[in-house]
Amino acid sequence: MSIIEVSNLKKSYGDLEVLKQITFDVNKNDVVAVIGPSGSGKSTMLRSLVHLEEINSGSICVSGDYLVKDGVYSKSQEIKKITSKMGMVFQHFNLFPHMTVKENLEVAPRMLKKQPAHLIQQQSADLLEKVGLSDRATAYPANLSGGQKQRVAIARALMMNPDILLFDEPTSALDPELTGEVLQVMKHLAEEHMTMIVVTHEMGFAKEVANRAIFMDNGEIIESGHPDNLFTNPQYDRTKAFLNRSLK
């Protein structure tokens, strides 16, 4: 059953059309890798799912509820309810520099009063253990490596118990030696059947972990399918050219 249904998304900045009739769906427990050259609209598409970008037309349905239908957005309370089902992990971490790791994880649940304080503290401790950072709970972001910051960002997204995790190029700001530790956490999440949409340049991750790959170029989905098929037998010249560059 589809947990996300996207149909005919269009988005323009003035005369620049960045999304052109984007249509796809995501099933529960899918790991979808979105690949393509820079500037192809991947991040704009992802951000539109959590209302960080407003589309011009089209529909986005999450777990049966419409965030936007035929270009008309739901009321703000409904938008909050729908977007709360999704967690977002950004390219540049977006941690609060004046808060410790533990405080970064706990600030949103505390503000929303979703649980008693002792349960929030227990959850943050469990998630820091999950991402291998139990010993960094009282550290500040400035004292963490890029890989550690991104693992904290993943744990922070998981604090809200999302049904779906969205990753916007989570390793592109990292040195190669730090990329592996973040991808390992993401791989474990996939093994636990977390539904994920991952905009990425990491072709190895897409091939190994994703069960679906979407190739975007120039604001369009050119083709999609199982990574085994898309990587070894692409149907379109644009896909072939991109993969020839990316897999060298």
Side-chain angles (χ1 to χ4, degrees), residues 145-148 151 171 173-183 202:
S145 70
Q148 289 172 330
R151 284 187 281 155
T171 59
L174 302 180
D175 295 332
E177 65 269 22
L178 300 176
T179 294
E181 63 191 50
V182 174
L183 294 178
E202 295 293 333

Side-chain angles (χ1 to χ4, degrees), residues 146-166:
Q148 289 172 330
K149 288 177 188 173
Q150 196 59 291
R151 284 187 281 155
V152 171
I154 293 171
R156 181 180 62 179
L158 290 168
M159 281 294 291
M160 303 305 288
N161 302 310
D163 298 328
I164 304 150
L165 270 185
L166 310 178

Side-chain angles (χ1 to χ4, degrees), residues 19-201:
L19 296 178
K20 306 170 184 174
Q21 303 285 75
I22 296 291
T23 296
F24 68 97
D25 55 20
V26 177
N27 292 326
K28 190 172 170 55
N29 308 135
D30 273 354
V31 178
V32 179
V34 184
I35 62 172
S38 297
S40 58
K42 305 184 301 294
S43 292
T44 302
M45 178 276 292
L46 194 74
R47 289 167 64 86
S48 72
L49 300 180
V50 284
H51 199 227
L52 292 173
E53 296 276 359
E54 286 213 350
I55 61 161
N56 299 121
S57 63
S59 301
I60 299 170
C61 185
V62 181
S63 300
D65 296 318
Y66 279 97
L67 176 73
V68 54
K69 186 172 185 181
D70 298 327
V72 179
Y73 277 89
S74 295
K75 293 194 166 85
S76 61
Q77 213 46 38
E78 182 72 6
I79 288 172
K80 278 184 188 170
K81 185 187 96 172
I82 293 167
T83 55
S84 71
K85 298 173 185 176
M86 295 176 276
M88 182 92 171
V89 179
F90 298 91
Q91 181 176 346
H92 293 292
F93 327 126
N94 289 12
L95 301 178
F96 295 113
H98 61 290
M99 293 183 181
T100 65
V101 164
K102 178 175 158 31
E103 289 166 345
N104 263 281
L105 263 64
E106 295 177 4
V107 60
R110 283 183 190 280
M111 285 174 66
L112 294 170
K113 298 184 173 62
K114 286 183 82 90
Q115 294 175 298
H118 72 280
L119 291 179
I120 292 173
Q121 290 172 356
Q122 184 60 57
Q123 186 183 14
S124 71
D126 291 346
L127 285 172
L128 286 177
E129 183 176 357
K130 185 186 187 81
V131 299
L133 291 171
S134 293
D135 60 335
R136 307 299 279 153
T138 58
Y140 286 89
N143 298 319
L144 303 177
S145 70
Q148 289 172 330
K149 288 177 188 173
Q150 196 59 291
R151 284 187 281 155
V152 171
I154 293 171
R156 181 180 62 179
L158 290 168
M159 281 294 291
M160 303 305 288
N161 302 310
D163 298 328
I164 304 150
L165 270 185
L166 310 178
F167 293 84
D168 189 8
E169 301 196 16
T171 59
S172 64
L174 302 180
D175 295 332
E177 65 269 22
L178 300 176
T179 294
E181 63 191 50
V182 174
L183 294 178
Q184 194 61 38
V185 170
M186 294 168 65
K187 185 177 177 184
H188 287 322
L189 290 172
E191 289 166 355
E192 293 172 357
H193 308 296
M194 170 61 77
T195 306
M196 301 194 288
I197 306 176
V198 186
V199 171
T200 185
H201 290 293

